[in-house]
Amino acid sequence: MPEIISSASNPKVRYVRRLGARSFRAREGRMVLEGVRLVEEALAAGAVFHFVLFDERAEHTERGRMLLERLAASSVALHRSEPSVMTAISDTEAPPGLLAVVSQPRPGLPAKLGAVLVLDGVKDPGNLGACLRTALAAGVGAVLLAPGTADPSAAKVARAALGAHFLLPIVRVSWSDARELCQRHELAVWVADARGARSCYEVDWRRPWALVMGGEAEGPSESAMAMGATVRIPMPGPTESLNVAAAAAVL
């Protein structure tokens, strides 16, 4: 029977901890996924797995046991660990007892884009992940991450995106790169702004478009505002603005 990982000094445990640093993730080209559902999504999308750590909590449900069997059948290296070790390296308040190290996906851009989401300075990992998940659901062809946006490979982003990383091209760009891409694909660019000139219900979204969403606190930057015309979500209630993930979903 394989040895159970019981020490936080185990090389694989230490490696997972090091992947908590953005610079190390970038150097290794890897990221951490936690939880049965997220690992299921990654496996279904053909993610490259390097190893999986799990404890008895992952085996307490039929879904968890089936996932471990599928991973084993795919020749993924599985390492049983003590619950205390898994809790120590977990990024969640209620550790699920299953954690995978996978290669960061690099989906290429489609030859032709009809819908693009541009995120401008979205710093909150949960909001970024929610925007990615919504973009995938809405059939967006690519998400461009403008300067100041959070690192998409962070564990909290991956958890909120729930597998969108493996199916959606996510590309870091400069503003000049974003502008060139929109021009090349002949996209009408709309910048979301609480005081925007056009109501979102007046825009013809059947035309190819790019939607620019600004950060949580600051709103769209000057560089974002220079990308195109502004669009707003009419709000009859007393709220001044929406959370960026909610606004992106509405638009």
PDB file of all heavy atoms in Angstrom, residues 106-144:
ATOM      1  N   ARG A 106      -3.256  26.858 -22.274  1.00  0.00           N
ATOM      2  CA  ARG A 106      -2.901  27.929 -23.216  1.00  0.00           C
ATOM      3  C   ARG A 106      -3.760  27.826 -24.476  1.00  0.00           C
ATOM      4  O   ARG A 106      -3.238  27.653 -25.575  1.00  0.00           O
ATOM      5  CB  ARG A 106      -1.427  27.848 -23.595  1.00  0.00           C
ATOM      6  CG  ARG A 106      -0.455  27.838 -22.435  1.00  0.00           C
ATOM      7  CD  ARG A 106      -0.304  29.197 -21.842  1.00  0.00           C
ATOM      8  NE  ARG A 106       0.777  29.227 -20.855  1.00  0.00           N
ATOM      9  CZ  ARG A 106       0.719  29.889 -19.708  1.00  0.00           C
ATOM     10  NH1 ARG A 106      -0.379  30.567 -19.403  1.00  0.00           N
ATOM     11  NH2 ARG A 106       1.737  29.885 -18.872  1.00  0.00           N
ATOM     12  N   PRO A 107      -5.088  27.936 -24.358  1.00  0.00           N
ATOM     13  CA  PRO A 107      -5.917  27.861 -25.571  1.00  0.00           C
ATOM     14  C   PRO A 107      -5.588  29.007 -26.520  1.00  0.00           C
ATOM     15  O   PRO A 107      -5.404  30.143 -26.102  1.00  0.00           O
ATOM     16  CB  PRO A 107      -7.346  27.991 -25.030  1.00  0.00           C
ATOM     17  CG  PRO A 107      -7.266  27.703 -23.564  1.00  0.00           C
ATOM     18  CD  PRO A 107      -5.898  28.140 -23.153  1.00  0.00           C
ATOM     19  N   GLY A 108      -5.489  28.697 -27.807  1.00  0.00           N
ATOM     20  CA  GLY A 108      -5.190  29.724 -28.797  1.00  0.00           C
ATOM     21  C   GLY A 108      -6.425  30.522 -29.164  1.00  0.00           C
ATOM     22  O   GLY A 108      -7.557  30.079 -28.970  1.00  0.00           O
ATOM     23  N   LEU A 109      -6.212  31.719 -29.680  1.00  0.00           N
ATOM     24  CA  LEU A 109      -7.325  32.561 -30.110  1.00  0.00           C
ATOM     25  C   LEU A 109      -7.958  31.997 -31.374  1.00  0.00           C
ATOM     26  O   LEU A 109      -7.255  31.507 -32.262  1.00  0.00           O
ATOM     27  CB  LEU A 109      -6.835  33.988 -30.379  1.00  0.00           C
ATOM     28  CG  LEU A 109      -6.466  34.844 -29.167  1.00  0.00           C
ATOM     29  CD1 LEU A 109      -5.832  36.147 -29.629  1.00  0.00           C
ATOM     30  CD2 LEU A 109      -7.695  35.129 -28.311  1.00  0.00           C
ATOM     31  N   PRO A 110      -9.274  32.056 -31.494  1.00  0.00           N
ATOM     32  CA  PRO A 110      -9.937  31.612 -32.729  1.00  0.00           C
ATOM     33  C   PRO A 110      -9.520  32.484 -33.905  1.00  0.00           C
ATOM     34  O   PRO A 110      -9.076  33.631 -33.730  1.00  0.00           O
ATOM     35  CB  PRO A 110     -11.425  31.809 -32.407  1.00  0.00           C
ATOM     36  CG  PRO A 110     -11.527  31.948 -30.929  1.00  0.00           C
ATOM     37  CD  PRO A 110     -10.229  32.524 -30.473  1.00  0.00           C
ATOM     38  N   ALA A 111      -9.662  31.933 -35.107  1.00  0.00           N
ATOM     39  CA  ALA A 111      -9.310  32.690 -36.301  1.00  0.00           C
ATOM     40  C   ALA A 111     -10.193  33.922 -36.455  1.00  0.00           C
ATOM     41  O   ALA A 111      -9.762  34.950 -36.986  1.00  0.00           O
ATOM     42  CB  ALA A 111      -9.424  31.800 -37.537  1.00  0.00           C
ATOM     43  N   LYS A 112     -11.436  33.820 -36.016  1.00  0.00           N
ATOM     44  CA  LYS A 112     -12.367  34.938 -36.109  1.00  0.00           C
ATOM     45  C   LYS A 112     -13.108  35.078 -34.786  1.00  0.00           C
ATOM     46  O   LYS A 112     -13.625  34.101 -34.260  1.00  0.00           O
ATOM     47  CB  LYS A 112     -13.372  34.714 -37.245  1.00  0.00           C
ATOM     48  CG  LYS A 112     -14.288  35.918 -37.501  1.00  0.00           C
ATOM     49  CD  LYS A 112     -13.493  37.154 -37.917  1.00  0.00           C
ATOM     50  CE  LYS A 112     -14.404  38.350 -38.197  1.00  0.00           C
ATOM     51  NZ  LYS A 112     -13.617  39.579 -38.485  1.00  0.00           N
ATOM     52  N   LEU A 113     -13.131  36.293 -34.274  1.00  0.00           N
ATOM     53  CA  LEU A 113     -13.794  36.570 -33.007  1.00  0.00           C
ATOM     54  C   LEU A 113     -15.050  37.395 -33.233  1.00  0.00           C
ATOM     55  O   LEU A 113     -15.026  38.378 -33.971  1.00  0.00           O
ATOM     56  CB  LEU A 113     -12.856  37.324 -32.059  1.00  0.00           C
ATOM     57  CG  LEU A 113     -11.711  36.506 -31.453  1.00  0.00           C
ATOM     58  CD1 LEU A 113     -10.683  37.417 -30.806  1.00  0.00           C
ATOM     59  CD2 LEU A 113     -12.257  35.510 -30.433  1.00  0.00           C
ATOM     60  N   GLY A 114     -16.148  37.012 -32.589  1.00  0.00           N
ATOM     61  CA  GLY A 114     -17.378  37.774 -32.685  1.00  0.00           C
ATOM     62  C   GLY A 114     -17.795  38.400 -31.380  1.00  0.00           C
ATOM     63  O   GLY A 114     -18.672  39.260 -31.340  1.00  0.00           O
ATOM     64  N   ALA A 115     -17.151  37.945 -30.266  1.00  0.00           N
ATOM     65  CA  ALA A 115     -17.463  38.481 -28.940  1.00  0.00           C
ATOM     66  C   ALA A 115     -16.236  38.339 -28.058  1.00  0.00           C
ATOM     67  O   ALA A 115     -15.663  37.253 -27.939  1.00  0.00           O
ATOM     68  CB  ALA A 115     -18.642  37.735 -28.333  1.00  0.00           C
ATOM     69  N   VAL A 116     -15.826  39.462 -27.461  1.00  0.00           N
ATOM     70  CA  VAL A 116     -14.621  39.490 -26.627  1.00  0.00           C
ATOM     71  C   VAL A 116     -14.926  40.259 -25.342  1.00  0.00           C
ATOM     72  O   VAL A 116     -15.580  41.305 -25.379  1.00  0.00           O
ATOM     73  CB  VAL A 116     -13.443  40.156 -27.372  1.00  0.00           C
ATOM     74  CG1 VAL A 116     -12.264  40.397 -26.436  1.00  0.00           C
ATOM     75  CG2 VAL A 116     -13.006  39.297 -28.552  1.00  0.00           C
ATOM     76  N   LEU A 117     -14.456  39.733 -24.226  1.00  0.00           N
ATOM     77  CA  LEU A 117     -14.551  40.448 -22.956  1.00  0.00           C
ATOM     78  C   LEU A 117     -13.166  40.950 -22.587  1.00  0.00           C
ATOM     79  O   LEU A 117     -12.198  40.182 -22.569  1.00  0.00           O
ATOM     80  CB  LEU A 117     -15.085  39.516 -21.856  1.00  0.00           C
ATOM     81  CG  LEU A 117     -15.193  40.114 -20.449  1.00  0.00           C
ATOM     82  CD1 LEU A 117     -16.187  41.269 -20.417  1.00  0.00           C
ATOM     83  CD2 LEU A 117     -15.584  39.042 -19.439  1.00  0.00           C
ATOM     84  N   VAL A 118     -13.064  42.247 -22.296  1.00  0.00           N
ATOM     85  CA  VAL A 118     -11.800  42.856 -21.881  1.00  0.00           C
ATOM     86  C   VAL A 118     -11.951  43.289 -20.424  1.00  0.00           C
ATOM     87  O   VAL A 118     -12.855  44.072 -20.096  1.00  0.00           O
ATOM     88  CB  VAL A 118     -11.442  44.079 -22.753  1.00  0.00           C
ATOM     89  CG1 VAL A 118     -10.073  44.633 -22.351  1.00  0.00           C
ATOM     90  CG2 VAL A 118     -11.468  43.718 -24.237  1.00  0.00           C
ATOM     91  N   LEU A 119     -11.092  42.779 -19.553  1.00  0.00           N
ATOM     92  CA  LEU A 119     -11.161  43.105 -18.137  1.00  0.00           C
ATOM     93  C   LEU A 119     -10.045  44.077 -17.776  1.00  0.00           C
ATOM     94  O   LEU A 119      -8.864  43.803 -18.008  1.00  0.00           O
ATOM     95  CB  LEU A 119     -11.077  41.831 -17.294  1.00  0.00           C
ATOM     96  CG  LEU A 119     -12.230  40.848 -17.540  1.00  0.00           C
ATOM     97  CD1 LEU A 119     -12.043  39.582 -16.705  1.00  0.00           C
ATOM     98  CD2 LEU A 119     -13.576  41.498 -17.233  1.00  0.00           C
ATOM     99  N   ASP A 120     -10.448  45.198 -17.225  1.00  0.00           N
ATOM    100  CA  ASP A 120      -9.546  46.325 -16.974  1.00  0.00           C
ATOM    101  C   ASP A 120      -9.369  46.519 -15.466  1.00  0.00           C
ATOM    102  O   ASP A 120     -10.233  47.066 -14.792  1.00  0.00           O
ATOM    103  CB  ASP A 120     -10.165  47.584 -17.607  1.00  0.00           C
ATOM    104  CG  ASP A 120      -9.499  48.877 -17.146  1.00  0.00           C
ATOM    105  OD1 ASP A 120      -8.279  48.856 -16.874  1.00  0.00           O
ATOM    106  OD2 ASP A 120     -10.198  49.905 -17.073  1.00  0.00           O
ATOM    107  N   GLY A 121      -8.260  46.034 -14.937  1.00  0.00           N
ATOM    108  CA  GLY A 121      -7.965  46.263 -13.520  1.00  0.00           C
ATOM    109  C   GLY A 121      -8.915  45.559 -12.572  1.00  0.00           C
ATOM    110  O   GLY A 121      -9.177  46.061 -11.476  1.00  0.00           O
ATOM    111  N   VAL A 122      -9.426  44.402 -12.954  1.00  0.00           N
ATOM    112  CA  VAL A 122     -10.278  43.615 -12.045  1.00  0.00           C
ATOM    113  C   VAL A 122      -9.344  42.852 -11.101  1.00  0.00           C
ATOM    114  O   VAL A 122      -8.723  41.877 -11.492  1.00  0.00           O
ATOM    115  CB  VAL A 122     -11.187  42.651 -12.823  1.00  0.00           C
ATOM    116  CG1 VAL A 122     -11.998  41.777 -11.867  1.00  0.00           C
ATOM    117  CG2 VAL A 122     -12.106  43.431 -13.746  1.00  0.00           C
ATOM    118  N   LYS A 123      -9.259  43.314  -9.878  1.00  0.00           N
ATOM    119  CA  LYS A 123      -8.258  42.795  -8.943  1.00  0.00           C
ATOM    120  C   LYS A 123      -8.773  41.678  -8.048  1.00  0.00           C
ATOM    121  O   LYS A 123      -7.982  40.886  -7.538  1.00  0.00           O
ATOM    122  CB  LYS A 123      -7.724  43.931  -8.073  1.00  0.00           C
ATOM    123  CG  LYS A 123      -6.994  45.018  -8.855  1.00  0.00           C
ATOM    124  CD  LYS A 123      -6.494  46.125  -7.942  1.00  0.00           C
ATOM    125  CE  LYS A 123      -5.646  47.137  -8.703  1.00  0.00           C
ATOM    126  NZ  LYS A 123      -6.390  47.802  -9.776  1.00  0.00           N
ATOM    127  N   ASP A 124     -10.065  41.617  -7.807  1.00  0.00           N
ATOM    128  CA  ASP A 124     -10.598  40.598  -6.902  1.00  0.00           C
ATOM    129  C   ASP A 124     -10.630  39.236  -7.600  1.00  0.00           C
ATOM    130  O   ASP A 124     -11.255  39.104  -8.660  1.00  0.00           O
ATOM    131  CB  ASP A 124     -12.009  40.988  -6.450  1.00  0.00           C
ATOM    132  CG  ASP A 124     -12.582  39.977  -5.484  1.00  0.00           C
ATOM    133  OD1 ASP A 124     -12.273  40.073  -4.290  1.00  0.00           O
ATOM    134  OD2 ASP A 124     -13.317  39.077  -5.928  1.00  0.00           O
ATOM    135  N   PRO A 125      -9.979  38.217  -7.034  1.00  0.00           N
ATOM    136  CA  PRO A 125      -9.936  36.903  -7.692  1.00  0.00           C
ATOM    137  C   PRO A 125     -11.316  36.292  -7.912  1.00  0.00           C
ATOM    138  O   PRO A 125     -11.571  35.678  -8.954  1.00  0.00           O
ATOM    139  CB  PRO A 125      -9.111  36.044  -6.725  1.00  0.00           C
ATOM    140  CG  PRO A 125      -8.305  37.022  -5.935  1.00  0.00           C
ATOM    141  CD  PRO A 125      -9.173  38.242  -5.795  1.00  0.00           C
ATOM    142  N   GLY A 126     -12.212  36.451  -6.944  1.00  0.00           N
ATOM    143  CA  GLY A 126     -13.549  35.900  -7.102  1.00  0.00           C
ATOM    144  C   GLY A 126     -14.303  36.549  -8.241  1.00  0.00           C
ATOM    145  O   GLY A 126     -14.995  35.877  -9.015  1.00  0.00           O
ATOM    146  N   ASN A 127     -14.180  37.873  -8.353  1.00  0.00           N
ATOM    147  CA  ASN A 127     -14.836  38.580  -9.454  1.00  0.00           C
ATOM    148  C   ASN A 127     -14.249  38.173 -10.800  1.00  0.00           C
ATOM    149  O   ASN A 127     -14.984  37.979 -11.779  1.00  0.00           O
ATOM    150  CB  ASN A 127     -14.697  40.093  -9.272  1.00  0.00           C
ATOM    151  CG  ASN A 127     -15.667  40.643  -8.252  1.00  0.00           C
ATOM    152  OD1 ASN A 127     -16.672  40.016  -7.933  1.00  0.00           O
ATOM    153  ND2 ASN A 127     -15.362  41.808  -7.710  1.00  0.00           N
ATOM    154  N   LEU A 128     -12.939  38.050 -10.858  1.00  0.00           N
ATOM    155  CA  LEU A 128     -12.301  37.637 -12.117  1.00  0.00           C
ATOM    156  C   LEU A 128     -12.787  36.247 -12.522  1.00  0.00           C
ATOM    157  O   LEU A 128     -13.170  36.021 -13.678  1.00  0.00           O
ATOM    158  CB  LEU A 128     -10.776  37.652 -11.975  1.00  0.00           C
ATOM    159  CG  LEU A 128      -9.980  37.096 -13.158  1.00  0.00           C
ATOM    160  CD1 LEU A 128     -10.352  37.783 -14.452  1.00  0.00           C
ATOM    161  CD2 LEU A 128      -8.476  37.209 -12.897  1.00  0.00           C
ATOM    162  N   GLY A 129     -12.785  35.321 -11.573  1.00  0.00           N
ATOM    163  CA  GLY A 129     -13.238  33.973 -11.889  1.00  0.00           C
ATOM    164  C   GLY A 129     -14.684  33.934 -12.326  1.00  0.00           C
ATOM    165  O   GLY A 129     -15.042  33.217 -13.279  1.00  0.00           O
ATOM    166  N   ALA A 130     -15.537  34.725 -11.665  1.00  0.00           N
ATOM    167  CA  ALA A 130     -16.955  34.775 -12.038  1.00  0.00           C
ATOM    168  C   ALA A 130     -17.128  35.345 -13.441  1.00  0.00           C
ATOM    169  O   ALA A 130     -17.974  34.870 -14.214  1.00  0.00           O
ATOM    170  CB  ALA A 130     -17.734  35.607 -11.025  1.00  0.00           C
ATOM    171  N   CYS A 131     -16.334  36.349 -13.782  1.00  0.00           N
ATOM    172  CA  CYS A 131     -16.391  36.912 -15.139  1.00  0.00           C
ATOM    173  C   CYS A 131     -15.988  35.876 -16.178  1.00  0.00           C
ATOM    174  O   CYS A 131     -16.600  35.783 -17.256  1.00  0.00           O
ATOM    175  CB  CYS A 131     -15.486  38.136 -15.245  1.00  0.00           C
ATOM    176  SG  CYS A 131     -16.102  39.620 -14.398  1.00  0.00           S
ATOM    177  N   LEU A 132     -14.978  35.085 -15.882  1.00  0.00           N
ATOM    178  CA  LEU A 132     -14.534  34.045 -16.827  1.00  0.00           C
ATOM    179  C   LEU A 132     -15.614  32.996 -17.026  1.00  0.00           C
ATOM    180  O   LEU A 132     -15.892  32.574 -18.153  1.00  0.00           O
ATOM    181  CB  LEU A 132     -13.249  33.391 -16.319  1.00  0.00           C
ATOM    182  CG  LEU A 132     -12.015  34.283 -16.198  1.00  0.00           C
ATOM    183  CD1 LEU A 132     -10.855  33.504 -15.603  1.00  0.00           C
ATOM    184  CD2 LEU A 132     -11.628  34.877 -17.543  1.00  0.00           C
ATOM    185  N   ARG A 133     -16.229  32.583 -15.933  1.00  0.00           N
ATOM    186  CA  ARG A 133     -17.278  31.563 -16.019  1.00  0.00           C
ATOM    187  C   ARG A 133     -18.475  32.078 -16.827  1.00  0.00           C
ATOM    188  O   ARG A 133     -19.041  31.360 -17.661  1.00  0.00           O
ATOM    189  CB  ARG A 133     -17.709  31.170 -14.609  1.00  0.00           C
ATOM    190  CG  ARG A 133     -18.728  30.039 -14.564  1.00  0.00           C
ATOM    191  CD  ARG A 133     -19.053  29.684 -13.128  1.00  0.00           C
ATOM    192  NE  ARG A 133     -20.053  28.630 -13.052  1.00  0.00           N
ATOM    193  CZ  ARG A 133     -20.599  28.200 -11.923  1.00  0.00           C
ATOM    194  NH1 ARG A 133     -20.218  28.744 -10.780  1.00  0.00           N
ATOM    195  NH2 ARG A 133     -21.501  27.245 -11.936  1.00  0.00           N
ATOM    196  N   THR A 134     -18.858  33.325 -16.576  1.00  0.00           N
ATOM    197  CA  THR A 134     -19.979  33.916 -17.300  1.00  0.00           C
ATOM    198  C   THR A 134     -19.650  34.085 -18.776  1.00  0.00           C
ATOM    199  O   THR A 134     -20.484  33.856 -19.644  1.00  0.00           O
ATOM    200  CB  THR A 134     -20.352  35.271 -16.691  1.00  0.00           C
ATOM    201  OG1 THR A 134     -20.731  35.072 -15.326  1.00  0.00           O
ATOM    202  CG2 THR A 134     -21.499  35.918 -17.429  1.00  0.00           C
ATOM    203  N   ALA A 135     -18.408  34.495 -19.069  1.00  0.00           N
ATOM    204  CA  ALA A 135     -17.992  34.668 -20.459  1.00  0.00           C
ATOM    205  C   ALA A 135     -18.099  33.353 -21.228  1.00  0.00           C
ATOM    206  O   ALA A 135     -18.568  33.315 -22.370  1.00  0.00           O
ATOM    207  CB  ALA A 135     -16.560  35.198 -20.523  1.00  0.00           C
ATOM    208  N   LEU A 136     -17.690  32.270 -20.596  1.00  0.00           N
ATOM    209  CA  LEU A 136     -17.791  30.958 -21.235  1.00  0.00           C
ATOM    210  C   LEU A 136     -19.245  30.599 -21.479  1.00  0.00           C
ATOM    211  O   LEU A 136     -19.612  30.123 -22.565  1.00  0.00           O
ATOM    212  CB  LEU A 136     -17.116  29.900 -20.360  1.00  0.00           C
ATOM    213  CG  LEU A 136     -17.163  28.471 -20.891  1.00  0.00           C
ATOM    214  CD1 LEU A 136     -16.405  28.347 -22.203  1.00  0.00           C
ATOM    215  CD2 LEU A 136     -16.600  27.500 -19.854  1.00  0.00           C
ATOM    216  N   ALA A 137     -20.092  30.844 -20.487  1.00  0.00           N
ATOM    217  CA  ALA A 137     -21.519  30.521 -20.618  1.00  0.00           C
ATOM    218  C   ALA A 137     -22.177  31.329 -21.723  1.00  0.00           C
ATOM    219  O   ALA A 137     -23.102  30.841 -22.394  1.00  0.00           O
ATOM    220  CB  ALA A 137     -22.234  30.773 -19.294  1.00  0.00           C
ATOM    221  N   ALA A 138     -21.704  32.557 -21.929  1.00  0.00           N
ATOM    222  CA  ALA A 138     -22.310  33.448 -22.921  1.00  0.00           C
ATOM    223  C   ALA A 138     -21.743  33.251 -24.325  1.00  0.00           C
ATOM    224  O   ALA A 138     -22.166  33.931 -25.261  1.00  0.00           O
ATOM    225  CB  ALA A 138     -22.114  34.903 -22.495  1.00  0.00           C
ATOM    226  N   GLY A 139     -20.787  32.338 -24.475  1.00  0.00           N
ATOM    227  CA  GLY A 139     -20.230  32.086 -25.796  1.00  0.00           C
ATOM    228  C   GLY A 139     -19.188  33.094 -26.234  1.00  0.00           C
ATOM    229  O   GLY A 139     -18.929  33.242 -27.438  1.00  0.00           O
ATOM    230  N   VAL A 140     -18.585  33.795 -25.290  1.00  0.00           N
ATOM    231  CA  VAL A 140     -17.517  34.743 -25.625  1.00  0.00           C
ATOM    232  C   VAL A 140     -16.326  33.980 -26.189  1.00  0.00           C
ATOM    233  O   VAL A 140     -15.961  32.910 -25.689  1.00  0.00           O
ATOM    234  CB  VAL A 140     -17.123  35.544 -24.366  1.00  0.00           C
ATOM    235  CG1 VAL A 140     -15.830  36.312 -24.583  1.00  0.00           C
ATOM    236  CG2 VAL A 140     -18.250  36.503 -23.989  1.00  0.00           C
ATOM    237  N   GLY A 141     -15.701  34.537 -27.228  1.00  0.00           N
ATOM    238  CA  GLY A 141     -14.610  33.841 -27.897  1.00  0.00           C
ATOM    239  C   GLY A 141     -13.278  33.930 -27.201  1.00  0.00           C
ATOM    240  O   GLY A 141     -12.424  33.054 -27.362  1.00  0.00           O
ATOM    241  N   ALA A 142     -13.067  35.002 -26.414  1.00  0.00           N
ATOM    242  CA  ALA A 142     -11.800  35.187 -25.712  1.00  0.00           C
ATOM    243  C   ALA A 142     -11.977  36.243 -24.631  1.00  0.00           C
ATOM    244  O   ALA A 142     -12.840  37.120 -24.734  1.00  0.00           O
ATOM    245  CB  ALA A 142     -10.696  35.611 -26.677  1.00  0.00           C
ATOM    246  N   VAL A 143     -11.149  36.139 -23.614  1.00  0.00           N
ATOM    247  CA  VAL A 143     -11.100  37.160 -22.567  1.00  0.00           C
ATOM    248  C   VAL A 143      -9.700  37.757 -22.569  1.00  0.00           C
ATOM    249  O   VAL A 143      -8.697  37.034 -22.490  1.00  0.00           O
ATOM    250  CB  VAL A 143     -11.426  36.579 -21.179  1.00  0.00           C
ATOM    251  CG1 VAL A 143     -11.262  37.652 -20.106  1.00  0.00           C
ATOM    252  CG2 VAL A 143     -12.845  36.028 -21.148  1.00  0.00           C
ATOM    253  N   LEU A 144      -9.637  39.073 -22.678  1.00  0.00           N
ATOM    254  CA  LEU A 144      -8.365  39.783 -22.649  1.00  0.00           C
ATOM    255  C   LEU A 144      -8.188  40.423 -21.279  1.00  0.00           C
ATOM    256  O   LEU A 144      -9.098  41.099 -20.787  1.00  0.00           O
ATOM    257  CB  LEU A 144      -8.326  40.861 -23.737  1.00  0.00           C
ATOM    258  CG  LEU A 144      -8.682  40.423 -25.165  1.00  0.00           C
ATOM    259  CD1 LEU A 144      -8.535  41.606 -26.128  1.00  0.00           C
ATOM    260  CD2 LEU A 144      -7.826  39.253 -25.613  1.00  0.00           C
TER     261      LEU A 144
END
